[in-house]
Amino acid sequence: MKKELEVIEIDEKEYCVINEVTYKEKTFLYLSNIQDEEDTIIRKVSPEDENIVIPLQDEKEFEIACNLLCKNIMY
Amino acid sequence: MPNYEITEYKKQLPAKQQKQENVKRFKEKSLQGSSGKRTEKTIKMSRKSFIARLKILFAMGLISGTILGYHVPGAIQKFEDDALVGKLIKEYQVDVIEPNTYRTDDNSGYFYDTMSIAKEIYEAGEENYAEYIYYTLCNTGENNTGIVIEQLYRLYIKTGECKTLEDYYHRNGYENTDDFKKRVKERILAKTESNELQEILGETNQKTQENSGKTK
């Protein structure tokens, strides 16, 4: 059985969306490089344009995004 | 003669450093770098590959975050430990419980051949009783495990008497089911770790013997 995943291009590399979590009006995307599974990053949907994904704001937001991911998988 | 134990340990260091590097890069790339545009483009990925990527992200997230007050490295260890013990419980279910599970005559339910399960535990040897009882408890519940224990003592051990699970706990110094499960799980993990260590030592000893054979 195959899973259909959305593809997002960042820095000329193609990433697939492994997980998506929305929390307090912010949507975080957890991405994995299609060519290199060790290359993983987090992006969030831009508040100005929902078709654009942008880097996280600061370390605090990064920590929130990490915790949301784990909570989402574990429970 | 080279010290193969130390060589083996050193081999593991780059992997650990690599992991730390990956986590550092994961954080940097999440905070910096370019924006991207969501498109209609999709890719079809095998479930296996998807799960592998999800696991990597999960591990990165656990190391980088501080989820719900867990000590983060402990949470990873807990996740791995639970997965390992879960696998052993499942193996016991397939090897011991399922062959001794039967449908009732009216086909509406099922029952366990508790005597055969007790025999399996007895044949595993006294040093493995707690571990096998733990797997039985996880697979069949407290009532059935109580019956298994009663038969184990009455038919096989023949000394002393344990009529209930509580008797068994009391005899062996466990407070209750939670205490029993916690302590036996720790023992299983310690034993597994020790076995892995033995395997590594066995392999390195073998290599040492092979190499000393070559030099003769």
Side-chain angles (χ1 to χ4, degrees), chain A residues 19-30 42-44 56-73, chain B residues 26-27 30-31 57-58 60-68 72:
Chain A
N19 205 9
E20 184 171 333
V21 181
T22 301
Y23 174 72
K24 289 189 177 174
E25 295 174 1
K26 284 180 186 175
T27 300
F28 296 101
L29 301 175
Y30 302 89
I42 308 177
R43 284 288 182 270
K44 68 173 177 182
L56 305 183
Q57 196 180 331
D58 49 33
E59 288 204 11
K60 195 180 168 196
E61 195 171 65
F62 174 72
E63 199 174 290
I64 290 170
C66 288
N67 288 345
L68 282 171
L69 169 71
C70 298
K71 207 175 147 202
N72 193 260
I73 294 174
Chain B
F26 170 61
K27 187 177 178 180
S30 297
L31 292 170
L57 262 166
F58 177 71
M60 293 285 183
L62 269 182
I63 295 165
S64 310
T66 47
I67 188 164
L68 303 175
V72 175

Side-chain angles (χ1 to χ4, degrees), chain A residues 39-63:
Chain A
D39 178 10
T40 51
I41 53 170
I42 308 177
R43 284 288 182 270
K44 68 173 177 182
V45 174
S46 164
E48 280 88 37
D49 183 348
E50 62 180 25
N51 289 317
I52 301 290
V53 295
I54 55 174
L56 305 183
Q57 196 180 331
D58 49 33
E59 288 204 11
K60 195 180 168 196
E61 195 171 65
F62 174 72
E63 199 174 290

Side-chain angles (χ1 to χ4, degrees), chain B residues 90-153:
Chain B
K90 180 76 188 163
E91 278 176 13
Y92 185 83
Q93 184 197 352
V94 173
D95 294 345
V96 178
I97 303 298
E98 279 177 9
N100 293 305
T101 304
Y102 298 95
R103 280 270 173 206
T104 51
D105 287 342
D106 61 1
N107 225 21
S108 65
Y110 59 89
F111 63 94
Y112 299 108
D113 177 357
T114 48
M115 198 184 289
S116 296
I117 297 171
K119 193 178 173 203
E120 292 274 0
I121 296 173
Y122 176 70
E123 286 173 355
E126 203 173 344
E127 71 278 11
N128 295 312
Y129 284 175
E131 191 178 328
Y132 272 50
I133 289 167
Y134 172 83
Y135 296 142
T136 306
L137 182 63
C138 292
N139 277 298
T140 68
E142 292 189 17
N143 288 343
N144 288 305
T145 308
I147 299 167
V148 169
I149 283 176
E150 190 186 343
Q151 288 176 340
L152 177 69
Y153 275 84

Side-chain angles (χ1 to χ4, degrees), chain B residues 31 59 203 216:
Chain B
L31 292 170
E203 280 173 21
K216 274 178 191 173

